[in-house]
Amino acid sequence: MVGTLAIIVSSALVYSAPLIFTALGGTFSERSGVVNVGLEGIMTVGAFSAAIFNLNTAHIFGVWTPWIAMLFGGLIGLLFSVIHAVATINLRADHIVSGTVINLMAPGLTVFLTKQLFDGKGQTEIIRQRFGKISFPILKDIPVLGDIFFKNTSAPAYVAIAIAFLAYFVIFKTKFGLRLRSVGENPQAADTLGINVYAMKYAGVLISGFLGGMGGAVVVQAISGQFSVSTIAGQGFISMAAMIFGKWNPIGVMGAAFFFGLSQSLAIIGSQISFLSGLPSVYLQAAPYVLTIIVLVIFIGKSQGPKSIGVTYVKSK
């Protein structure tokens, strides 16, 4: 029983890590009042950038390459999110349309660059330095819990969990978080109190770009091992569902992302679990997307996001 739980939890952590990063990014953006449907595209450019960085610097940074590549993917994601910020904040474009454009642009751009860099191939080479499994000293020796949570597990997942708690503290316990939330709730009132509404919206969108890019980097370095057009296949939209399911609260978002990560992982480890091994694999592969639809149908009407989310702010009004 413990062995089965260890397999389930370890695999769920691997698949939930990129969802936690990206869903937290979406939380920052939407807390500032900007809908970021472009998380899928941001994850795509983050994954591509991390793969290229990893392939070209593994001989320099060695085992630290995946971590540095993750930050690099986050940086590229941040830069890519500037497009969405300028479109929605300065040019007053519809948030959904802008995000959709990013989702359409990112796969085409990254596949084009991949073919240019790899002699017409549609995928990169296999990266040499990946996020492997780790065991935490001392903690792995705890009876039962050590085997389940701290032995042969995913380090990026625990970093994502730590960032979730940090995000909760930032959003609900700091002046920055209070200003961010006030802009998402009532930007006119925030403006009258001297808060720079545009700056806070930019901060929310750019943070979402950075975390979304990191999420994409984790996918390519912990799951797929190389970048192709199918590396990011719906994870950005699943992250949005986790954000809504978690009610824009970083801790709730983290829990929802773990739930979706678990559903994704079952398609891989289902054959190793006795009560799932008899199910056709196609059912397990479809489970994350079916669950996403079900969660959205059930909870989207009950989850109340920031009151001014998706509303274009015009300072003169």
Side-chain angles (χ1 to χ4, degrees):
M1 184 63 179
V2 173
T4 300
L5 282 176
I7 293 172
I8 293 173
V9 172
S10 176
S11 182
L13 285 171
V14 171
Y15 282 85
S16 64
L19 302 182
I20 295 173
F21 280 118
T22 308
L24 290 174
T27 300
F28 274 97
S29 181
E30 299 208 355
R31 279 289 180 179
S32 73
V34 180
V35 179
N36 194 349
V37 179
L39 292 174
E40 180 90 355
I42 290 171
M43 288 187 77
T44 300
V45 297
F48 169 77
S49 304
I52 298 301
F53 185 92
N54 191 306
L55 287 168
N56 287 280
T57 63
H59 65 286
I60 299 175
F61 299 114
V63 295
W64 289 102
T65 305
W67 296 101
I68 301 172
M70 183 174 74
L71 295 175
F72 182 77
L75 177 61
I76 300 302
L78 183 151
L79 294 175
F80 202 67
S81 69
V82 171
I83 300 172
H84 186 57
V86 171
T88 56
I89 300 170
N90 297 102
L91 303 180
R92 303 172 188 173
D94 182 274
H95 297 198
I96 304 298
V97 172
S98 175
T100 301
V101 169
I102 287 177
N103 288 337
L104 294 173
M105 183 191 309
L109 175 63
T110 52
V111 169
F112 171 77
L113 292 175
T114 299
K115 290 186 175 182
Q116 294 298 309
L117 294 172
F118 295 93
D119 300 322
K121 297 178 182 178
Q123 65 279 331
T124 66
E125 298 172 358
I126 301 294
I127 59 177
R128 294 183 290 277
Q129 293 289 345
R130 300 179 58 174
F131 287 119
K133 297 292 184 69
I134 69 161
S135 296
F136 292 93
I138 302 176
L139 294 176
K140 67 182 177 62
D141 298 322
I142 300 174
V144 183
L145 293 180
D147 289 330
I148 296 174
F149 293 103
F150 304 115
K151 185 178 291 184
N152 295 324
T153 190
S154 167
Y158 282 92
V159 172
I161 291 170
I163 291 178
F165 284 99
L166 177 62
Y168 177 86
F169 178 80
V170 169
I171 290 175
F172 292 105
K173 303 295 182 181
T174 67
K175 289 182 179 179
F176 171 83
L178 177 61
R179 291 170 180 170
L180 188 77
R181 287 184 288 124
S182 67
V183 167
E185 294 290 338
N186 193 329
Q188 285 80 12
D191 197 1
T192 61
L193 294 174
I195 297 173
N196 188 327
V197 174
Y198 292 141
M200 296 309 300
K201 286 182 177 292
Y202 260 94
V205 176
L206 296 185
I207 291 173
S208 77
F210 183 73
L211 292 175
M214 288 176 67
V218 172
V219 172
V220 78
Q221 296 182 108
I223 299 173
S224 68
Q226 66 178 164
F227 177 82
S228 68
V229 70
S230 61
T231 298
I232 305 299
Q235 290 96 323
F237 297 111
I238 293 175
S239 298
M240 289 193 67
M243 176 188 65
I244 296 170
F245 192 15
K247 298 183 177 180
W248 295 269
N249 181 308
I251 305 302
V253 167
M254 176 187 68
F258 182 81
F259 169 74
F260 286 117
L262 173 62
S263 68
Q264 281 189 306
S265 69
L266 291 179
I268 307 300
I269 63 171
S271 60
Q272 303 176 50
I273 303 172
S274 58
F275 58 88
L276 293 177
S277 59
L279 287 175
S281 60
V282 67
Y283 290 169
L284 296 176
Q285 291 168 1
Y289 309 102
V290 174
L291 287 173
T292 301
I293 295 172
I294 293 173
V295 166
L296 289 176
V297 169
I298 295 175
F299 291 97
I300 196 168
K302 298 179 181 179
S303 297
Q304 297 296 322
K307 292 181 180 178
S308 294
I309 190 169
V311 178
T312 300
Y313 173 68
V314 182
K315 187 175 178 64
S316 59
K317 290 187 178 181

